[in-house]
Amino acid sequence: MSRRIIVALVLACLALAGYAQRRITPVETPATVTQSVNETASDTARINERRRANSVSYVDDRGLTIYVDTLTNTEWTDSTLIGRVPKMEFPLWHAMSVGVNVWDPVMRLFGQQHGLADMWVQLSLHNRYKPTLEAGLGMARHRSSADTFLYRSPLSFYLRIGADYNFLFNSNPDYQFFAGLRYGISPFSYSIDDVVADDPYWGTEGTFNIPAQHATVGWMEFSIGLRVKLWGPISAGWSFKFHSIIHQSKDTYGRPWYIPGYGTRGTPVTGSFSIVYTIPLSHLNKPKPDSVTIDDTTVDNL
């Protein structure tokens, strides 16, 4: 075999070997190595799924599901479940309460000469917001020991409307600490008898009567109080009230001494003591979807 033929065969073999190597040897680049990582880098659900496989979980006092990595002992929260955690423990339509305020009847036993009683209805939303409507009757028959005149106000109607805010809204609803705001209004009449008038010219005294006068008074009221369970659906509530008159009609003979639902004009602080009956409203809420279980932890589908 000639020398030229041998050289040609060697070159041909080398060419075939290089071609075969290019066909069967994959070319690895940084892009192909990290491709699977890049594809899931923004996929939160897949990342959390991989992390949950190596984690145990528990529910904290805020209702959040906390995962603990068994390899690194670090804690993390599944961000895909945060939106499913309820912000408040109790449903929107939580309960309705009906109360009777017995403050004035009790005070009349101790000598108070005005007031009667009132009732109120309150709606509990999430055990947090509590719109309230109050209505009652008031009257007065008071003789001043200093001036001897007799102040009389017949049975009159009054109304208060407002809301309370329960600071313990995620706690046991049998025990509440709340603050409230009310607007009150009362149209009523009053009269004054045996008013003594001095006559400086003749040096004598005379008496006269002020006939029935009609007035309308409105006021704002801030309250703070507590409510505790007695037994079953029965509870008791105490509150202290700070109120101030914001408008009133003009009167020919001065301003009335007593205002139904407000009390005496010169008393900015008063109180209330109520016996309350509570009716659950859970049947008005939409039923929750079925629960799902993730890593032996039950999570509600909200």
Side-chain angles (χ1 to χ4, degrees), residues 88 124-130 164-167 169:
M88 286 176 279
S124 175
L125 306 177
H126 292 299
N127 190 40
R128 186 175 189 177
Y129 310 106
K130 300 177 179 285
D164 290 339
Y165 180 87
N166 179 23
F167 295 100
F169 57 88

Side-chain angles (χ1 to χ4, degrees), residues 51 55-56 66-76:
R51 298 183 68 183
S55 302
V56 294
I66 306 298
Y67 289 88
V68 181
D69 193 309
T70 56
L71 300 178
T72 63
N73 201 33
T74 58
E75 295 186 352
W76 60 282

Side-chain angles (χ1 to χ4, degrees), residues 261-284:
Y262 181 92
T264 58
R265 178 177 294 275
T267 307
V269 180
T270 185
S272 69
F273 175 74
S274 296
I275 302 299
V276 187
Y277 184 87
T278 300
I279 305 170
L281 298 178
S282 56
H283 62 282
L284 298 180

Side-chain angles (χ1 to χ4, degrees), residues 147-179:
D147 300 323
T148 71
F149 67 82
L150 176 64
Y151 182 96
R152 294 185 298 173
S153 178
L155 202 61
S156 302
F157 174 79
Y158 61 86
L159 185 71
R160 288 190 291 257
I161 186 170
D164 290 339
Y165 180 87
N166 179 23
F167 295 100
L168 306 178
F169 57 88
N170 272 348
S171 301
N172 188 342
D174 294 337
Y175 303 93
Q176 302 179 23
F177 171 60
F178 59 87

Side-chain angles (χ1 to χ4, degrees), residues 63-103:
L64 295 176
T65 300
I66 306 298
Y67 289 88
V68 181
D69 193 309
T70 56
L71 300 178
T72 63
N73 201 33
T74 58
E75 295 186 352
W76 60 282
T77 302
D78 189 342
S79 59
T80 62
L81 300 178
I82 292 179
R84 300 161 66 183
V85 177
K87 295 181 179 180
M88 286 176 279
E89 294 289 338
F90 298 93
L92 174 63
W93 303 106
H94 173 240
M96 182 177 70
S97 298
V98 180
V100 178
N101 179 15
V102 297
W103 176 275

Side-chain angles (χ1 to χ4, degrees), residues 200-221:
Y201 183 80
W202 297 104
T204 60
E205 292 183 351
T207 60
F208 66 94
N209 299 328
I210 296 177
Q213 304 294 303
H214 299 280
T216 300
V217 177
W219 66 93
M220 293 299 297
E221 185 174 279

